[in-house]
Amino acid sequence: MRRIWFATSNPGKLAEAKAFLAGWEVLEAPGEVEEDQPDLAGNAIKKARAAAAGGKVFAEDSGLEVDALGGAPGVHSRRYAASDGARVARLLSELAGVPGREARFRAVVALKVGEDLHLFAGSVEGTIATEPRGEGGFGYDPIFIPGEGDGRTFAEMSREEKSALSHRGRALAALAAYLNETAEP
Ligand code: ITT
């Protein structure tokens, strides 16, 4: 099977990517870096470059932008608090009493092939729920309601349902199309 490395330490992201890249063996590449770049693309490139893997390797950086908070937590989504539960709690408390709960997830995938880099982006518009709902997914999924869905949060959907609408699903679909077009049989 064709092989590709994913430089991530997030098991939720890895599971989503494996489901997308059918026909590819997706291996987790070790390598933690400081995510100190000003935007998602910069961090994704930094993670892909730092990965201890040869051949094809990709990394992804993602974040949740809340309009009423001026786009926060955005590129700082992981550093917003120490755990998924604490991140969700902080966001809900920042939004208490604030009118307007529009938000979007964004993801940028950086694929490194030798010295070449290719970027694939995806986003999904939605709103922030007033309380967490659902057990699936990870991160902010229990409070994100995609606008193109049926009112359920991402955490109330199956992985397939989430990926059909999500920022990462869109970026991964573009990555998969590129890989399948360019890889040798
Ligand atoms: P890496 O090892 O791949 O860097 P990470 O968890 O550190 O994994 P990021 O630096 O890209 O990932 O941080 C993105 C954060 O944004 C992530 O920890 C979640 O809190 C949140 N996030 C990203 N995508 C999400 C999704 O699909 N659902 C819910 N939360 C998400």
Side-chain angles (χ1 to χ4, degrees):
M1 214 194 289
R2 295 171 295 183
R3 267 191 179 172
I4 190 162
W5 276 263
F6 186 6
T8 185
S9 52
N10 182 321
K13 287 186 182 182
L14 187 65
E16 290 182 10
K18 281 186 173 169
F20 248 88
L21 294 169
W24 289 82
E25 186 183 6
V26 183
L27 301 165
E28 190 176 344
E32 270 282 291
V33 298
E34 195 185 344
E35 296 181 21
D36 56 2
Q37 299 301 298
D39 55 29
L40 299 177
N43 281 327
I45 290 169
K46 188 171 179 182
K47 287 188 261 190
R49 284 204 169 122
K56 292 185 169 66
V57 53
F58 70 99
E60 185 259 13
D61 204 51
S62 42
L64 177 63
E65 299 174 354
V66 181
D67 291 348
L69 302 178
V75 72
H76 303 294
S77 292
R78 185 188 174 190
R79 285 162 278 169
Y80 204 47
S83 66
D84 278 350
R87 288 186 262 270
V88 164
R90 175 168 175 200
L91 191 56
L92 288 179
S93 79
E94 303 259 358
L95 280 179
V98 175
R101 302 177 79 88
E102 287 76 24
R104 75 201 51 75
F105 271 122
R106 285 189 197 281
V108 176
V109 167
L111 169 69
K112 185 173 161 290
V113 185
E115 289 312 306
D116 293 342
L117 281 166
H118 305 271
L119 295 180
F120 306 93
S123 66
V124 55
E125 300 286 329
T127 52
I128 303 298
T130 50
E131 55 184 19
R133 296 198 315 256
E135 303 295 324
F138 65 94
Y140 300 90
D141 282 342
I143 54 168
F144 187 82
I145 305 169
E148 295 158 70
D150 56 8
R152 284 178 295 161
T153 67
F154 269 162
E156 293 178 300
M157 297 181 179
S158 68
R159 185 180 296 142
E160 292 72 26
E161 288 173 317
K162 176 187 169 187
S163 283
L165 300 176
S166 80
H167 53 313
R168 182 166 307 97
R170 287 168 177 162
L172 288 170
L175 170 71
Y178 177 82
L179 287 171
N180 292 331
E181 271 164 28
T182 56
E184 280 115 50

